[in-house]
Amino acid sequence: MQELLKRFENQKPEITFEWSDSESEAEGWVVINSLRGGAAGGGTRMRKGLDKREVESLAKTMEVKFTVSGPAIGGAKSGINFDPSDPRKDEVLRRWYKAVTPLLKNYYGTGGDMNVDEIHEVIPITESFGIWHPQEGIVNGHFHATEPEKIKKLGQLRQGVSKVLEDPHYTPNGPKKYTVADMITGFGVAEAVRHYYKIWGGELKGKRAVIQGWGNVGAAAACFLAVEGVKIVGIIDRDGGLINQNGFTLDEVRELFVTRNGNKLVSPNLISFDEINQKIWDLESEIFIPAAASRLITREQSERMIKAGLEVISCGANVPFADPEIFFGPIGTWTDQQVSVIPDFVANCGMARVFAYLMSSKAEVTDQAIFKDVSKTIEKALKKTHSENPSKTNIAESSFKIALAQLV
């Protein structure tokens, strides 16, 4: 597997598009790892300090993800090195999308990612430049759709991704309305845990979970796990966190979801980051959801969680282990050998799968159809891994082998 991985990691990306903003210090890259199947896909992220290497590694991660989610296309990613809290963010995004419009028309499809919102930023800005939907390049480059087919596929995408959820099974209660894009990735991360216990064995109800990151992915995953009877015992976020060794009730978890400030955990009982970071890795829990930034989990944190009874990690964040390698370095490998690690490209493929599903000719644009399709996709991938490796360790390695065999 390591040999396959090295070959894939060392393949030079097919296209690298580089951009320097004329009116600010922002710089950006689109990295297209390959135009497998005539197109490539991957979201747009923005953060201060982002560099080309990060975008390259994320493009390769997307290529692996498409082996699970479909369609059979290449991986890509857009990254902008700029502070997302800067008031000039909107102007920077407008100039960026104007520059990449030719790619988005012909062979590249994008969406939201870290600090860039699919519904409120990507879709309206790209629309203003004549792009019907940010996935239009995939419809053109991969599907070679006729005009009527193109109208149907793009119509399904426009309707489905921004769809306001009506089914109470898929949304927390509260006055705010949530869309498919808000909830689907976290739903998939939670479903990966549910299917894991169903396939590899064990009772999910009553298990305890620790969540890292309280953005859409972590918070939604916590809500869906709580519905299944999982006790959320700890949450660690950028500015602090919460611990409740008896587990927060479903209503408390939902309340923490709906009272977020943007992507930030808000609570009168918030513990400082330093204090939560000292305590949370030793909390007795069986499930860990890393859903914050990439490359945060250290070997020491893994060791402490394992000692406290950890059974399974469902990766909400891409590349959650603090390894310099693109996919799978020493910390990730060691952890995979001790406990069950469901890799990012399986656990967090929800949004990529929604795009693939909505581009299909048989798509049904209902809450239930979209969410069930994501659940079935993750279940299928995990069953495939289980048939190769029924052991509860080296699950991530086995999943990588299956994916890389299709790419290298």
Side-chain angles (χ1 to χ4, degrees), residues 1-155:
M1 201 277 295
Q2 289 298 340
E3 174 58 30
L4 276 176
L5 207 49
K6 278 278 166 283
R7 274 168 57 198
F8 183 64
E9 284 184 358
N10 294 331
Q11 275 173 1
K12 215 172 162 209
E14 208 168 308
I15 298 167
T16 302
F17 173 95
E18 202 156 330
W19 173 77
S20 294
D21 189 18
S22 56
E23 294 177 46
S24 77
E25 65 278 19
E27 53 180 350
W29 301 267
V30 178
V31 175
I32 291 175
N33 190 58
S34 83
L35 285 172
R36 172 178 176 246
T44 305
R45 70 168 45 188
M46 178 188 279
R47 72 172 187 86
K48 198 176 178 176
L50 179 140
D51 60 15
K52 185 167 78 171
R53 174 160 168 85
E54 182 176 332
V55 186
E56 276 180 11
S57 71
L58 290 163
K60 287 186 183 289
T61 302
M62 283 309 302
E63 189 138 334
V64 175
K65 191 174 288 185
F66 287 127
T67 66
V68 172
S69 70
I73 57 170
K77 205 74 177 180
S78 289
I80 304 165
N81 175 15
F82 190 70
D83 181 356
S85 63
D86 191 300
R88 299 169 293 168
K89 179 190 179 186
D90 184 66
E91 303 155 35
V92 167
L93 280 175
R94 284 180 188 281
R95 290 191 291 273
W96 164 260
Y97 283 119
K98 189 177 184 186
V100 299
T101 289
L103 281 67
L104 290 168
K105 268 285 180 201
N106 293 294
Y107 52 75
Y108 170 47
T110 196
D113 197 79
M114 188 191 287
N115 302 318
V116 179
D117 188 271
E118 172 89 24
I119 308 296
H120 302 108
E121 291 171 324
V122 186
I123 290 174
I125 295 173
T126 53
E127 214 169 65
S128 72
F129 295 119
I131 293 161
W132 289 12
H133 187 274
Q135 297 284 307
E136 187 177 342
I138 296 172
V139 172
N140 289 331
H142 176 68
F143 290 99
H144 307 295
T146 63
E147 203 59 24
E149 283 171 347
K150 184 175 165 177
I151 290 165
K152 184 174 189 256
K153 287 180 194 299
L154 292 171

Side-chain angles (χ1 to χ4, degrees), residues 365-403:
V365 189
T366 65
D367 297 352
Q368 195 181 24
I370 292 168
F371 279 75
K372 281 205 158 158
D373 174 76
V374 165
S375 178
K376 268 176 19 202
T377 300
I378 291 168
E379 181 183 27
K380 186 179 162 192
L382 288 174
K383 279 183 167 169
K384 205 169 178 181
T385 298
H386 182 264
S387 66
E388 295 271 322
N389 171 22
S391 156
K392 287 187 175 182
T393 55
N394 299 309
I395 289 173
E397 183 181 339
S398 303
S399 302
F400 267 116
K401 268 186 194 160
I402 293 165

Side-chain angles (χ1 to χ4, degrees), residues 211-216 218-219 222 232-243 248 252-273 276 280:
I211 315 286
Q212 181 190 43
W214 201 244
N216 277 348
I232 309 301
V233 293
I235 302 163
I236 180 167
D237 200 29
R238 262 195 313 255
D239 301 329
L242 296 168
I243 287 175
F248 293 98
E252 286 169 334
V253 175
R254 284 176 165 161
E255 181 66 16
L256 289 168
F257 184 104
V258 301
T259 55
R260 288 177 305 158
N261 176 12
N263 274 346
K264 274 164 75 171
L265 178 65
V266 174
S267 166
N269 307 317
L270 208 66
I271 303 168
S272 75
F273 180 80
I276 192 92
I280 202 158

Side-chain angles (χ1 to χ4, degrees), residues 183-195:
M183 302 302 292
I184 199 75
T185 307
F187 169 77
V189 171
E191 282 295 277
V193 175
R194 190 172 71 82
H195 290 309

